[in-house]
């Protein structure tokens, strides 16, 4: 049985997938403009993947400027039906200690002014997608099983609060997000997940907690802290994903 190609959207700290054996690159064209970078096809261990760095090849596109519609459209265009959206996030709940990996299962969306739907032009009728469960449960469960196979701990429950960025949040904003039920906070989870649902892709989140959210750690959030935790968590995250080849 051949294994399906898995789409990986790389977040901060993953502009290049060093472990990827690249077979080819494709600059996919879309009706929504340019993707963040050419799509790279290759293998992560035994897993065939299509990799796209969300912030561009040189990590130059800020979260609110990412062309989420083009990126998601491109996966559909090349026939990749399962996509893992990786994301560096801040930890809000006590269990989201920096270094933790989490496959979120819910979203609260605080973003604004982003092109967030494919359903706005040339409609014969208004379309409302169901988004009760925002992530593809089948892929989430596969990811959790793969992580277990690889001996990597991943928390399988968590609400991702998507903020606009590029600035980090205030302490009061994080207190509000905690009251809203958010466990982690990032800037790119939306509209990516909703666009994937609109195109009926099977999309799951894979978050790397890289700092305590604003006001919860000691002092201000520093890039040094973020980079240290990113470096630590990325290897584990990628072994978990590569183990999808065994599930
Ligand atoms: N807030 C928002 N996005 C983030 C954070 C954070 O604390 N850390 C990494 N991405």
């Amino acid at each position: 049985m051949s294994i399906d190609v898995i789409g990986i959207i790389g977040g901060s700290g993953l502009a290049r997938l060093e472990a990827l054996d690249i077979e080819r690159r494709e600059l996919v064209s879309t009706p929504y403009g340019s993707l963040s970078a050419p799509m790279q096809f290759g293998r992560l261990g035994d897993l065939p993947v299509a990799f796209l760095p969300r912030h561009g090849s040189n990590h130059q596109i800020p979260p609110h400027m990412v062309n989420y519609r083009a990126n998601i459209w491109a996966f559909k265009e090349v026939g990749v039906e399962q996509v893992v959206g990786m994301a560096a996030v801040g930890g809000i709940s006590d269990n989201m200690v920096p270094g933790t990996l989490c496959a979120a299962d819910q979203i609260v969306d605080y973003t604004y002014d982003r092109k967030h739907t494919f359903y706005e032009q040339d409609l014969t009728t208004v379309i409302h997608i169901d988004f009760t469960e925002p992530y593809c449960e089948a892929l989430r469960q596969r990811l959790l099983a793969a992580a277990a196979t690889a001996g990597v701990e991943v928390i399988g429950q968590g609400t991702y609060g998507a903020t606009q960025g590029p600035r980090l949040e205030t302490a009061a904003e994080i207190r509000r997000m905690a009251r809203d039920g958010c466990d982690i906070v990032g800037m790119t989870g939306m509209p990516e997940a909703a666009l994937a649902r609109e195109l009926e892709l099977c999309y799951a989140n894979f978050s790397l907690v890289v700092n305590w959210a604003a006001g919860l750690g000691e002092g201000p959030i520093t890039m040094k802290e973020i980079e240290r935790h990113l470096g630590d968590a990325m290897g584990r995250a990628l072994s978990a994903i590569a183990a999808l080849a065994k599930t």
Side-chain angles (χ1 to χ4, degrees):
M1 192 188 78
S2 70
I3 313 166
D4 290 347
V5 177
I6 299 285
I8 301 177
I9 303 180
S12 289
L14 202 60
R16 252 172 289 277
L17 193 45
E18 303 287 347
L20 181 68
D21 276 331
I22 301 173
E23 285 154 13
R24 69 190 169 87
R25 288 184 173 79
E26 191 175 328
L27 193 53
V28 187
S29 72
T30 85
Y32 300 95
S34 305
L35 347 183
S36 296
M39 182 99 69
Q40 298 172 6
F41 295 85
R43 287 194 168 256
L44 185 65
D46 293 330
L47 186 75
V49 304
F51 174 72
L52 183 61
R54 186 189 286 118
H55 298 285
S57 306
N58 297 307
H59 200 262
Q60 76 280 21
I61 309 171
H64 65 294
M65 302 286 286
V66 170
N67 190 342
Y68 294 95
R69 292 198 300 186
N71 288 353
I72 290 296
W73 186 272
F75 283 104
K76 186 79 174 181
E77 185 72 27
V78 300
V80 171
E81 292 176 349
Q82 302 182 75
V83 179
V84 176
M86 300 185 72
V89 298
I92 299 177
S93 299
D94 290 348
N95 62 338
M96 296 297 175
V97 179
T100 301
L101 302 178
C102 172
D105 65 344
Q106 274 297 331
I107 297 174
V108 179
D109 186 10
Y110 303 91
T111 65
Y112 50 88
D113 275 352
R114 299 183 179 191
K115 296 276 187 195
H116 65 284
T117 180
F118 292 109
Y119 294 137
E120 59 185 7
Q121 265 178 341
D122 305 325
L123 298 177
T124 49
T125 183
V126 173
I127 295 165
H128 303 286
I129 52 155
D130 175 72
F131 207 44
T132 311
E133 299 299 333
Y135 298 114
C136 172
E137 192 56 20
L139 184 55
R140 256 174 40 76
Q141 290 303 333
R142 252 188 95 188
L143 191 55
L144 293 172
T149 310
V152 172
E153 206 176 312
V154 178
I155 296 181
Q157 244 184 351
T159 297
Y160 180 114
T163 56
Q164 177 71 356
R167 67 164 176 87
L168 292 157
E169 299 71 36
T170 65
E173 284 168 339
I174 293 299
R175 287 197 296 272
R176 173 174 81 141
M177 291 179 76
R179 289 194 300 275
D180 285 353
C182 297
D183 298 296
I184 50 180
V185 52
M187 301 174 189
T188 55
M190 285 293 283
E192 200 169 88
L195 291 166
R197 177 63 54 82
E198 284 190 350
L199 293 190
E200 298 180 343
L201 296 178
C202 180
Y203 173 94
N205 161 266
F206 197 11
S207 286
L208 288 64
V209 183
V210 294
N211 58 279
W212 281 117
L216 301 180
E218 283 170 20
I221 299 166
T222 64
M223 285 315 290
K224 200 166 158 219
E225 173 192 11
I226 290 183
E227 277 157 21
R228 181 162 60 83
H229 288 297
L230 253 183
D232 158 62
M234 192 59 78
R236 282 180 284 128
L238 292 177
S239 354
I241 291 181
L244 282 170
K246 301 186 191 136
T247 60

